[in-house]
């Protein structure tokens, strides 16, 4: 059974946020908005947003929500010291995921592993062949992904890996390498695939047996093209709203959702629309967009 969830990034809660321009919603406010919009679950967001391992299950339960998953990025291509420090952070996140899974075992969250990227990748959203990791660097990267996945399974949870803009798993070729060289399954993100040069419908069909989590997201690739050459292209892409409401971008929403349903996928469908809040009007717009996104899916998920 497919269940719908929303994500804190849809309301501006992520690392590129601008709290100096507009206050971000707190956990109570955000959870209420997600529930009112009709979603069954929510992603974790920053640790502590919805409470700790002791309080999060009760907090989400009061809002009628379950935890769908949550972003945990690690510097898979970084130094040994940086990676080891990040693994300690993974352990802290897994404690929260375990508590949520114990409270709702039929809707257990997927810890969503991802790469932290690099300055070079962040300067070139969309990827480029010359930025791919070479043989030895890629082998180390894949070994670290396997280690993080094993750590997640040791905690009694099933991991998923999120391909993402400005990281070392961004383009279809890099996704193929990840699937070939690790046993971790994929968070299929339609929006990040679009800006990474992929084609969601045939790529979903090709990878569906390795997809255990889905982020449904629409993207306007023209924003990516216009950001080329900007001083900070990554921030430019997000601030110019590369991710748009479902149906407003380059994603064929009806065809990809039909394919997902027909495939027999039965996990979480997380509707994401990463935004940077730059004024009070953006807060209202974010809320309206998430209501519209949920309504857009009523044909499949009442």
């Amino acid at each position: 059974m497919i269940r719908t969830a929303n994500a804190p990034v849809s309301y501006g809660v992520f690392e590129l946020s601008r709290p100096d321009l507009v206050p971000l919603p707190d956990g109570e406010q955000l959870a209420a908005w997600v529930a009112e919009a009709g979603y069954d679950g929510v992603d974790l967001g920053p640790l502590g947003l919805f409470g700790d391992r002791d309080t999060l299950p009760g907090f989400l339960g009061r809002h009628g929500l379950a935890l769908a998953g949550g972003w945990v990025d690690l510097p898979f291509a970084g130094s040994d010291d940086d990676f080891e420090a990040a693994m300690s952070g993974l352990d802290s996140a897994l404690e929260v995921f375990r508590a949520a899974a114990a409270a709702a075992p039929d809707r257990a969250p997927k810890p969503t592993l991802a790469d932290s990227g690099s300055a070079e990748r962040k300067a070139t959203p969309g990827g480029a062949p010359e930025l791919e990791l070479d043989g030895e660097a890629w082998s180390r990267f894949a070994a670290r992904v396997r280690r993080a996945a094993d750590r997640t399974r040791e905690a009694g949870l099933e991991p998923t890996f999120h391909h993402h803009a400005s990281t070392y798993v961004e383009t279809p070729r890099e996704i193929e390498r990840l699937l070939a060289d690790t046993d971790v399954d994929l968070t299929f993100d339609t929006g990040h695939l679009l800006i990474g040069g992929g084609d969601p419908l045939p790529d979903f069909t090709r990878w569906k047996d390795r997809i255990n989590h889905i982020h449904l997201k629409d993207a306007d690739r023209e924003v990516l093209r216009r950001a080329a050459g900007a001083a900070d292209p990554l921030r430019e892409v997000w601030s110019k709203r590369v991710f748009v409401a479902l149906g407003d971008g380059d994603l064929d929403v009806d065809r990809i959702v039909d394919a997902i349903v027909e495939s027999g996928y039965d996990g979480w469908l997380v509707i994401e629309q990463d935004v940077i809040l730059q004024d009070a009007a953006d807060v209202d717009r974010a809320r309206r967009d998430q209501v519209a996104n949920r309504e857009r899916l009523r044909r499949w998920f009442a």
Side-chain angles (χ1 to χ4, degrees):
M1 178 180 177
I2 296 175
R3 294 182 172 93
T4 62
N6 205 199
V9 295
S10 301
Y11 303 87
V13 182
F14 75 127
E15 64 178 7
L16 294 179
S17 61
R18 295 294 306 272
D20 55 315
L21 297 178
V22 57
L24 297 176
D26 61 27
E28 193 77 46
Q29 187 176 55
L30 197 153
W33 290 345
V34 170
E36 289 165 6
Y39 295 96
D40 304 308
V42 66
D43 257 3
L44 183 62
L47 281 178
L49 178 65
F50 300 128
D52 59 23
R53 64 182 182 181
D54 297 320
T55 60
L56 178 139
F59 175 88
L60 293 183
R62 289 197 304 275
H63 290 278
L65 299 171
L67 187 66
W71 171 270
V72 184
D73 68 282
L74 296 97
F76 291 112
S79 70
D80 289 341
D81 287 346
D82 287 346
F83 180 70
E84 293 303 329
M87 285 292 282
S88 296
L90 172 61
D91 289 337
S92 297
L94 291 176
E95 291 182 0
V96 177
F97 285 114
R98 288 180 66 186
D106 61 324
R107 295 183 289 172
K110 289 285 193 303
T112 309
L113 306 176
D115 177 42
S116 301
S118 67
E120 292 77 16
R121 294 300 300 237
K122 291 174 182 177
T124 315
E130 65 273 15
L131 297 177
E132 291 183 6
L133 296 176
D134 60 21
E136 181 180 348
W138 175 256
S139 294
R140 182 172 61 251
F141 185 103
R144 288 173 169 177
V145 171
R146 292 192 294 268
R147 183 178 163 198
D150 288 345
R151 182 75 64 88
T152 303
R153 294 184 182 115
E154 289 165 4
L157 299 158
E158 185 58 30
T160 184
F161 192 97
H162 192 325
H163 60 96
H164 198 279
S166 298
T167 74
Y168 285 105
V169 181
E170 177 175 14
T171 67
R173 174 181 164 88
E174 290 167 329
I175 295 169
E176 291 278 6
R177 292 175 78 191
L178 178 87
L179 295 176
D181 294 342
T182 75
D183 66 352
V184 66
D185 286 337
L186 189 68
T187 292
F188 183 78
D189 187 302
T190 55
H192 283 283
L193 189 64
L194 281 168
I195 65 176
D199 190 337
L201 191 59
D203 288 340
F204 176 81
T205 301
R206 184 156 46 110
W207 300 329
K208 63 182 179 180
D209 292 339
R210 293 290 303 278
I211 293 169
N212 67 349
H213 203 53
I214 295 176
H215 286 183
L216 187 66
K217 180 181 301 180
D218 206 345
D220 180 356
R221 287 176 291 191
E222 181 58 31
V223 173
L224 179 67
R225 288 188 283 270
R226 292 198 302 266
D232 187 348
L234 182 64
R235 180 170 289 279
E236 181 76 4
V237 163
W238 258 259
S239 65
K240 298 299 184 184
R241 304 185 72 87
V242 67
F243 297 121
V244 294
L246 294 177
D248 288 349
D250 295 307
L251 181 68
D252 190 331
V253 177
D254 288 354
R255 292 185 70 197
I256 191 62
V257 178
D258 279 343
I260 291 167
V261 172
E262 291 166 6
S263 75
Y265 174 79
D266 64 353
W268 283 104
L269 187 73
V270 183
I271 289 76
E272 272 195 343
Q273 188 185 340
D274 313 22
V275 296
I276 295 176
L277 304 181
Q278 303 190 78
D279 56 40
D282 281 344
V283 179
D284 293 334
R285 180 177 182 176
R287 291 186 64 189
R288 289 195 306 271
D289 279 353
Q290 300 325 303
V291 171
N293 286 340
R294 184 64 185 91
E295 292 304 311
R296 181 72 172 74
L297 300 175
R298 292 291 179 189
R299 167 183 157 189
W300 298 274
F301 317 112

